[in-house]
Amino acid sequence: MSVRPWRDIVRRQSRQIMVGNVPVGGDAPVTVQTMTNTATSDVKATIDQIRRCEEAGADIIRVSCPDVESTTALKQIVRAARVPIVADIHFHYKRALEAADAGAACLRINPGNIGSADRVNEVVNAARANGAAIRIGVNAGSLEKDLLEKYGEPCPEALVESALDHIKLLQDRDFHEFKVAVKASDVFLAVAAYQQLADAVDCPLHLGITEAGGFVGGTVKSAIGIGSLLWFGIGDTIRVSLSAEPEEEVRVGFEILKALGIRNRGVRVVSCPSCARQGFDVIRTVQALEERLQHIRTPLSLSVLGCVVNGPGEARETDIGLTGGGNGKHMVYLSGLTDHTVEDADMLDHIVKLVEAKAAEIEAAAEPAQAAE
């Protein structure tokens, strides 16, 4: 047991699969995914968007393959990408075959939508021959008619039964390199379905609240749904679905993981909502710092508080701290200790330089340990 047992998360034991060179499940880190929204046939636009998502930290990126032009472009996209590419397939089994041959690391399908047993066999054989995994994607908005008739409406039992039916199609063909999602836009429905599925299977689970909404609303719903499941120890890979640019989905995904202490990347900012006591414009300062520190990938913490009420206490728990003072002069803390003051005019540039220097220090200290492994 850790010294802070209230922070401990006991992760569900799942078997591990490979999505390209990225392990998913088992004791592998929870991965963050997103999906491009460009026309896949527009190779340049799609690769440019993939590059922005990679810079934001995406571990896996999905692209839609609705037509032969998309799967034709996929080969070039896969070669250019630095992370594994998942091909999103819905109905036409030939797109799955083409995507597997083009080098997709994973095929996102509903096996039940592919068609006859022979077609399912072809898709599974193509995935196996090309070393591609499969993601079974069950969605409350597209449940099979017989399940809707049986249950009357989308419900956890219906989503899980659909998933188990699809799993059986793959297992009957001795294919086990798959992960499963049971998504819904209703947070309660999605969470309940994932909880039931987690008890029924040992495969990795892909978490998401589908059609969650715009940036603010979708972030809140995703944080509640995905965050609750991760807190329960459920989930091996996540995708935050937002009506926003895909790189924003990646950033929100990492913030959810960072808030739970599951995975850290970049600067974790602790900041106050600001009030009349603030010694500087906290809101604008935090916005500017978050923007200017996006390039930092090394995990470290920064507290930015407007006054001395909670500032020193928060600074004791962070690598770098900034607390507002009077007359435009503010206190800077390093490793929890008061260190020096900074003037208003120099504050932003100064904090950015401190964070960059701390990141370099952490990276340098980690190099000998990595070399010894």
Short mmCIF file of all heavy atoms in Angstrom, two decimals, residues 32-38 40 46 49-50 52-53 58-66 84-90 108 135 183 206 210-211 238-250:
data_model
loop_
_atom_site.label_atom_id
_atom_site.label_comp_id
_atom_site.label_asym_id
_atom_site.label_seq_id
_atom_site.Cartn_x
_atom_site.Cartn_y
_atom_site.Cartn_z
N VAL A 32 -3.53 7.20 -25.35
CA VAL A 32 -4.45 8.27 -25.75
C VAL A 32 -4.58 8.26 -27.27
O VAL A 32 -3.58 8.30 -27.98
CB VAL A 32 -3.94 9.65 -25.26
CG1 VAL A 32 -4.87 10.76 -25.75
CG2 VAL A 32 -3.85 9.67 -23.74
N GLN A 33 -5.82 8.22 -27.72
CA GLN A 33 -6.10 8.20 -29.16
C GLN A 33 -6.90 9.42 -29.57
O GLN A 33 -7.53 10.09 -28.75
CB GLN A 33 -6.89 6.94 -29.53
CG GLN A 33 -6.21 5.65 -29.17
CD GLN A 33 -6.92 4.44 -29.75
OE1 GLN A 33 -7.58 4.52 -30.79
NE2 GLN A 33 -6.79 3.30 -29.07
N THR A 34 -6.90 9.68 -30.86
CA THR A 34 -7.80 10.67 -31.45
C THR A 34 -8.10 10.21 -32.86
O THR A 34 -7.65 9.15 -33.30
CB THR A 34 -7.19 12.08 -31.44
OG1 THR A 34 -8.18 13.03 -31.87
CG2 THR A 34 -5.98 12.18 -32.36
N MET A 35 -8.87 11.01 -33.59
CA MET A 35 -9.26 10.65 -34.96
C MET A 35 -9.20 11.89 -35.85
O MET A 35 -9.66 12.97 -35.45
CB MET A 35 -10.67 10.07 -34.97
CG MET A 35 -11.13 9.57 -36.33
SD MET A 35 -12.74 8.76 -36.22
CE MET A 35 -12.96 8.24 -37.94
N THR A 36 -8.65 11.73 -37.03
CA THR A 36 -8.58 12.86 -37.96
C THR A 36 -9.97 13.20 -38.47
O THR A 36 -10.87 12.36 -38.50
CB THR A 36 -7.67 12.53 -39.16
OG1 THR A 36 -8.18 11.36 -39.81
CG2 THR A 36 -6.25 12.28 -38.71
N ASN A 37 -10.16 14.46 -38.88
CA ASN A 37 -11.44 14.87 -39.47
C ASN A 37 -11.26 15.42 -40.87
O ASN A 37 -12.19 15.99 -41.45
CB ASN A 37 -12.17 15.86 -38.57
CG ASN A 37 -11.34 17.09 -38.25
OD1 ASN A 37 -10.50 17.51 -39.04
ND2 ASN A 37 -11.57 17.68 -37.09
N THR A 38 -10.06 15.27 -41.43
CA THR A 38 -9.83 15.66 -42.82
C THR A 38 -10.35 14.56 -43.74
O THR A 38 -10.60 13.44 -43.31
CB THR A 38 -8.32 15.83 -43.06
OG1 THR A 38 -7.66 14.63 -42.65
CG2 THR A 38 -7.75 17.01 -42.29
N THR A 40 -9.65 11.69 -45.84
CA THR A 40 -8.47 10.83 -45.84
C THR A 40 -7.80 10.80 -47.21
O THR A 40 -6.58 10.63 -47.32
CB THR A 40 -8.86 9.40 -45.40
OG1 THR A 40 -9.53 9.49 -44.14
CG2 THR A 40 -7.66 8.50 -45.26
N THR A 46 -4.30 15.36 -44.26
CA THR A 46 -4.41 14.34 -43.22
C THR A 46 -3.09 14.16 -42.49
O THR A 46 -3.06 14.09 -41.26
CB THR A 46 -4.87 13.00 -43.84
OG1 THR A 46 -6.12 13.20 -44.51
CG2 THR A 46 -5.03 11.94 -42.77
N GLN A 49 -2.48 17.07 -40.15
CA GLN A 49 -3.28 16.97 -38.92
C GLN A 49 -2.72 15.88 -38.00
O GLN A 49 -2.66 16.06 -36.78
CB GLN A 49 -4.74 16.68 -39.26
CG GLN A 49 -5.66 16.86 -38.07
CD GLN A 49 -7.12 16.79 -38.48
OE1 GLN A 49 -7.63 15.72 -38.78
NE2 GLN A 49 -7.80 17.93 -38.48
N ILE A 50 -2.30 14.79 -38.59
CA ILE A 50 -1.67 13.72 -37.79
C ILE A 50 -0.44 14.26 -37.08
O ILE A 50 -0.20 13.97 -35.90
CB ILE A 50 -1.31 12.51 -38.68
CG1 ILE A 50 -2.59 11.74 -39.06
CG2 ILE A 50 -0.31 11.59 -37.98
CD1 ILE A 50 -2.38 10.66 -40.08
N ARG A 52 0.16 17.30 -36.05
CA ARG A 52 -0.24 18.13 -34.91
C ARG A 52 -0.68 17.26 -33.74
O ARG A 52 -0.39 17.57 -32.58
CB ARG A 52 -1.35 19.09 -35.32
CG ARG A 52 -0.92 20.16 -36.31
CD ARG A 52 -1.94 21.28 -36.42
NE ARG A 52 -3.22 20.83 -36.94
CZ ARG A 52 -3.51 20.76 -38.24
NH1 ARG A 52 -2.58 21.06 -39.15
NH2 ARG A 52 -4.70 20.36 -38.65
N CYS A 53 -1.37 16.18 -34.04
CA CYS A 53 -1.83 15.26 -32.98
C CYS A 53 -0.65 14.54 -32.33
O CYS A 53 -0.62 14.33 -31.11
CB CYS A 53 -2.82 14.25 -33.55
SG CYS A 53 -4.37 14.98 -34.12
N ALA A 58 -0.44 12.24 -29.01
CA ALA A 58 -1.26 11.08 -29.37
C ALA A 58 -0.39 9.82 -29.52
O ALA A 58 0.66 9.85 -30.15
CB ALA A 58 -2.02 11.33 -30.68
N ASP A 59 -0.87 8.73 -28.96
CA ASP A 59 -0.18 7.45 -29.07
C ASP A 59 -0.65 6.65 -30.27
O ASP A 59 0.11 5.87 -30.85
CB ASP A 59 -0.43 6.60 -27.82
CG ASP A 59 0.05 7.27 -26.55
OD1 ASP A 59 1.27 7.49 -26.45
OD2 ASP A 59 -0.78 7.57 -25.68
N ILE A 60 -1.92 6.82 -30.63
CA ILE A 60 -2.56 6.09 -31.72
C ILE A 60 -3.52 7.05 -32.40
O ILE A 60 -4.20 7.84 -31.71
CB ILE A 60 -3.33 4.85 -31.19
CG1 ILE A 60 -2.37 3.88 -30.48
CG2 ILE A 60 -4.08 4.14 -32.31
CD1 ILE A 60 -3.08 2.77 -29.71
N ILE A 61 -3.62 7.00 -33.72
CA ILE A 61 -4.51 7.91 -34.44
C ILE A 61 -5.37 7.11 -35.42
O ILE A 61 -4.86 6.26 -36.14
CB ILE A 61 -3.72 9.00 -35.18
CG1 ILE A 61 -2.93 9.86 -34.18
CG2 ILE A 61 -4.65 9.89 -36.01
CD1 ILE A 61 -2.00 10.87 -34.81
N ARG A 62 -6.65 7.43 -35.43
CA ARG A 62 -7.59 6.72 -36.31
C ARG A 62 -7.96 7.61 -37.49
O ARG A 62 -8.14 8.83 -37.33
CB ARG A 62 -8.85 6.33 -35.51
CG ARG A 62 -9.92 5.61 -36.32
CD ARG A 62 -10.84 4.80 -35.41
NE ARG A 62 -11.34 5.53 -34.26
CZ ARG A 62 -12.61 5.85 -34.07
NH1 ARG A 62 -13.54 5.52 -34.95
NH2 ARG A 62 -12.99 6.48 -32.97
N VAL A 63 -8.08 7.01 -38.66
CA VAL A 63 -8.55 7.73 -39.84
C VAL A 63 -9.72 6.97 -40.46
O VAL A 63 -9.76 5.74 -40.41
CB VAL A 63 -7.43 7.91 -40.89
CG1 VAL A 63 -6.25 8.66 -40.29
CG2 VAL A 63 -6.96 6.58 -41.44
N SER A 64 -10.65 7.70 -41.00
CA SER A 64 -11.83 7.07 -41.61
C SER A 64 -11.52 6.59 -43.02
O SER A 64 -10.84 7.27 -43.79
CB SER A 64 -12.98 8.08 -41.65
OG SER A 64 -14.15 7.47 -42.14
N CYS A 65 -12.02 5.39 -43.34
CA CYS A 65 -11.79 4.81 -44.67
C CYS A 65 -13.13 4.40 -45.29
O CYS A 65 -13.46 3.22 -45.37
CB CYS A 65 -10.86 3.61 -44.57
SG CYS A 65 -9.18 4.02 -44.10
N PRO A 66 -13.92 5.39 -45.73
CA PRO A 66 -15.25 5.07 -46.26
C PRO A 66 -15.26 4.65 -47.72
O PRO A 66 -16.26 4.12 -48.21
CB PRO A 66 -16.00 6.39 -46.08
CG PRO A 66 -14.93 7.44 -46.23
CD PRO A 66 -13.68 6.83 -45.65
N PRO A 84 1.00 4.44 -34.63
CA PRO A 84 0.15 3.49 -35.35
C PRO A 84 -1.15 4.14 -35.83
O PRO A 84 -1.72 4.99 -35.15
CB PRO A 84 -0.14 2.42 -34.29
CG PRO A 84 0.95 2.55 -33.30
CD PRO A 84 1.30 3.99 -33.26
N ILE A 85 -1.59 3.70 -37.01
CA ILE A 85 -2.82 4.23 -37.61
C ILE A 85 -3.90 3.15 -37.59
O ILE A 85 -3.68 2.02 -38.01
CB ILE A 85 -2.56 4.69 -39.07
CG1 ILE A 85 -1.54 5.83 -39.09
CG2 ILE A 85 -3.87 5.10 -39.73
CD1 ILE A 85 -1.99 7.10 -38.38
N VAL A 86 -5.07 3.55 -37.09
CA VAL A 86 -6.24 2.68 -37.08
C VAL A 86 -7.15 3.08 -38.24
O VAL A 86 -7.44 4.28 -38.42
CB VAL A 86 -7.02 2.82 -35.76
CG1 VAL A 86 -8.27 1.95 -35.77
CG2 VAL A 86 -6.12 2.45 -34.58
N ALA A 87 -7.59 2.11 -39.01
CA ALA A 87 -8.51 2.38 -40.13
C ALA A 87 -9.93 2.18 -39.65
O ALA A 87 -10.28 1.12 -39.13
CB ALA A 87 -8.21 1.45 -41.29
N ASP A 88 -10.76 3.20 -39.81
CA ASP A 88 -12.15 3.15 -39.38
C ASP A 88 -13.02 2.60 -40.51
O ASP A 88 -13.19 3.25 -41.54
CB ASP A 88 -12.61 4.56 -38.99
CG ASP A 88 -13.92 4.55 -38.24
OD1 ASP A 88 -13.94 4.08 -37.09
OD2 ASP A 88 -14.94 5.02 -38.81
N ILE A 89 -13.54 1.40 -40.31
CA ILE A 89 -14.35 0.71 -41.33
C ILE A 89 -15.75 0.47 -40.75
O ILE A 89 -15.88 0.06 -39.60
CB ILE A 89 -13.74 -0.66 -41.70
CG1 ILE A 89 -12.23 -0.54 -41.98
CG2 ILE A 89 -14.49 -1.29 -42.86
CD1 ILE A 89 -11.86 0.25 -43.19
N HIS A 90 -16.76 0.69 -41.57
CA HIS A 90 -18.10 0.46 -41.04
C HIS A 90 -18.84 -0.70 -41.71
O HIS A 90 -19.22 -1.64 -41.04
CB HIS A 90 -18.93 1.75 -41.10
CG HIS A 90 -18.63 2.67 -39.97
ND1 HIS A 90 -19.19 2.55 -38.73
CD2 HIS A 90 -17.77 3.72 -39.88
CE1 HIS A 90 -18.72 3.47 -37.91
NE2 HIS A 90 -17.85 4.20 -38.60
N ARG A 108 -10.90 -0.82 -37.18
CA ARG A 108 -12.06 -0.57 -36.31
C ARG A 108 -13.29 -1.03 -37.08
O ARG A 108 -13.66 -0.44 -38.10
CB ARG A 108 -12.14 0.90 -35.95
CG ARG A 108 -13.22 1.24 -34.92
CD ARG A 108 -14.55 1.46 -35.55
NE ARG A 108 -15.55 1.97 -34.62
CZ ARG A 108 -16.86 1.93 -34.84
NH1 ARG A 108 -17.35 1.39 -35.94
NH2 ARG A 108 -17.69 2.43 -33.95
N ARG A 135 -10.39 -3.51 -33.56
CA ARG A 135 -11.18 -2.92 -32.48
C ARG A 135 -12.65 -3.10 -32.78
O ARG A 135 -13.16 -2.65 -33.81
CB ARG A 135 -10.89 -1.44 -32.30
CG ARG A 135 -11.57 -1.04 -30.99
CD ARG A 135 -12.18 0.18 -30.72
NE ARG A 135 -12.05 1.39 -31.39
CZ ARG A 135 -13.06 2.26 -31.42
NH1 ARG A 135 -14.23 1.98 -30.89
NH2 ARG A 135 -12.90 3.41 -32.01
N LYS A 183 -19.58 2.31 -26.54
CA LYS A 183 -19.75 3.74 -26.34
C LYS A 183 -21.21 4.18 -26.40
O LYS A 183 -22.04 3.57 -27.07
CB LYS A 183 -18.96 4.51 -27.39
CG LYS A 183 -17.45 4.35 -27.29
CD LYS A 183 -16.76 5.27 -28.28
CE LYS A 183 -15.25 5.14 -28.20
NZ LYS A 183 -14.58 6.08 -29.12
N HIS A 206 -11.38 -0.11 -24.84
CA HIS A 206 -11.17 1.23 -25.39
C HIS A 206 -12.30 2.11 -24.85
O HIS A 206 -13.47 1.86 -25.14
CB HIS A 206 -11.21 1.16 -26.92
CG HIS A 206 -11.23 2.49 -27.61
ND1 HIS A 206 -10.12 3.00 -28.24
CD2 HIS A 206 -12.22 3.40 -27.78
CE1 HIS A 206 -10.45 4.17 -28.77
NE2 HIS A 206 -11.72 4.43 -28.50
N THR A 210 -19.18 8.76 -26.60
CA THR A 210 -19.30 9.15 -28.00
C THR A 210 -20.20 10.37 -28.17
O THR A 210 -21.08 10.62 -27.33
CB THR A 210 -19.81 7.97 -28.85
OG1 THR A 210 -19.62 8.28 -30.23
CG2 THR A 210 -21.27 7.69 -28.60
N GLU A 211 -19.96 11.12 -29.24
CA GLU A 211 -20.75 12.33 -29.51
C GLU A 211 -20.94 13.16 -28.25
O GLU A 211 -22.04 13.57 -27.89
CB GLU A 211 -22.12 11.97 -30.11
CG GLU A 211 -22.07 11.48 -31.54
CD GLU A 211 -22.24 9.96 -31.63
OE1 GLU A 211 -22.92 9.39 -30.77
OE2 GLU A 211 -21.68 9.36 -32.56
N ILE A 238 -7.91 5.33 -24.42
CA ILE A 238 -9.04 6.26 -24.37
C ILE A 238 -9.05 7.17 -25.59
O ILE A 238 -8.02 7.46 -26.18
CB ILE A 238 -9.01 7.13 -23.09
CG1 ILE A 238 -7.82 8.10 -23.10
CG2 ILE A 238 -8.98 6.25 -21.84
CD1 ILE A 238 -7.83 9.10 -21.95
N ARG A 239 -10.27 7.58 -25.94
CA ARG A 239 -10.43 8.62 -26.96
C ARG A 239 -11.50 9.59 -26.47
O ARG A 239 -12.63 9.19 -26.16
CB ARG A 239 -10.85 8.02 -28.31
CG ARG A 239 -10.83 9.05 -29.48
CD ARG A 239 -12.24 9.58 -29.78
NE ARG A 239 -12.24 10.67 -30.75
CZ ARG A 239 -12.83 10.63 -31.94
NH1 ARG A 239 -13.46 9.53 -32.30
NH2 ARG A 239 -12.80 11.67 -32.74
N VAL A 240 -11.15 10.85 -26.34
CA VAL A 240 -12.10 11.90 -25.97
C VAL A 240 -12.73 12.42 -27.25
O VAL A 240 -12.03 12.98 -28.10
CB VAL A 240 -11.39 13.02 -25.20
CG1 VAL A 240 -12.37 14.15 -24.89
CG2 VAL A 240 -10.77 12.48 -23.92
N SER A 241 -14.04 12.23 -27.41
CA SER A 241 -14.72 12.64 -28.64
C SER A 241 -15.29 14.05 -28.48
O SER A 241 -16.23 14.26 -27.70
CB SER A 241 -15.86 11.66 -28.95
OG SER A 241 -15.36 10.37 -29.17
N LEU A 242 -14.72 15.01 -29.19
CA LEU A 242 -15.15 16.40 -29.09
C LEU A 242 -15.45 16.98 -30.47
O LEU A 242 -14.80 16.60 -31.45
CB LEU A 242 -14.06 17.26 -28.44
CG LEU A 242 -13.57 16.88 -27.04
CD1 LEU A 242 -12.42 17.78 -26.64
CD2 LEU A 242 -14.71 16.97 -26.03
N SER A 243 -16.39 17.89 -30.51
CA SER A 243 -16.57 18.69 -31.73
C SER A 243 -15.53 19.82 -31.67
O SER A 243 -15.85 20.99 -31.45
CB SER A 243 -18.00 19.25 -31.79
OG SER A 243 -18.94 18.21 -31.82
N ALA A 244 -14.30 19.41 -31.83
CA ALA A 244 -13.15 20.32 -31.73
C ALA A 244 -12.02 19.69 -32.51
O ALA A 244 -12.13 18.56 -33.00
CB ALA A 244 -12.75 20.53 -30.26
N GLU A 245 -10.93 20.41 -32.65
CA GLU A 245 -9.79 19.87 -33.39
C GLU A 245 -9.24 18.65 -32.66
O GLU A 245 -9.21 18.61 -31.43
CB GLU A 245 -8.70 20.93 -33.55
CG GLU A 245 -9.11 22.10 -34.42
CD GLU A 245 -9.59 21.66 -35.80
OE1 GLU A 245 -8.95 20.77 -36.40
OE2 GLU A 245 -10.60 22.19 -36.27
N PRO A 246 -8.79 17.63 -33.40
CA PRO A 246 -8.37 16.39 -32.76
C PRO A 246 -7.21 16.54 -31.78
O PRO A 246 -7.14 15.80 -30.80
CB PRO A 246 -7.99 15.48 -33.94
CG PRO A 246 -7.85 16.38 -35.11
CD PRO A 246 -8.76 17.53 -34.88
N GLU A 247 -6.33 17.52 -32.02
CA GLU A 247 -5.25 17.70 -31.06
C GLU A 247 -5.77 18.15 -29.70
O GLU A 247 -5.15 17.87 -28.66
CB GLU A 247 -4.18 18.69 -31.58
CG GLU A 247 -4.70 20.05 -31.99
CD GLU A 247 -5.01 20.14 -33.48
OE1 GLU A 247 -5.53 19.16 -34.05
OE2 GLU A 247 -4.71 21.21 -34.06
N GLU A 248 -6.93 18.83 -29.69
CA GLU A 248 -7.55 19.20 -28.41
C GLU A 248 -8.07 17.96 -27.69
O GLU A 248 -8.04 17.90 -26.45
CB GLU A 248 -8.69 20.20 -28.64
CG GLU A 248 -8.25 21.53 -29.21
CD GLU A 248 -7.26 22.26 -28.30
OE1 GLU A 248 -7.33 22.08 -27.08
OE2 GLU A 248 -6.42 23.01 -28.83
N GLU A 249 -8.54 16.96 -28.44
CA GLU A 249 -8.96 15.71 -27.81
C GLU A 249 -7.78 15.06 -27.09
O GLU A 249 -7.94 14.53 -25.98
CB GLU A 249 -9.49 14.74 -28.87
CG GLU A 249 -10.75 15.20 -29.57
CD GLU A 249 -11.31 14.13 -30.52
OE1 GLU A 249 -10.59 13.15 -30.82
OE2 GLU A 249 -12.45 14.29 -30.96
N VAL A 250 -6.62 15.12 -27.71
CA VAL A 250 -5.42 14.52 -27.11
C VAL A 250 -5.07 15.24 -25.81
O VAL A 250 -4.79 14.61 -24.78
CB VAL A 250 -4.23 14.57 -28.09
CG1 VAL A 250 -2.97 14.01 -27.43
CG2 VAL A 250 -4.56 13.82 -29.37
#
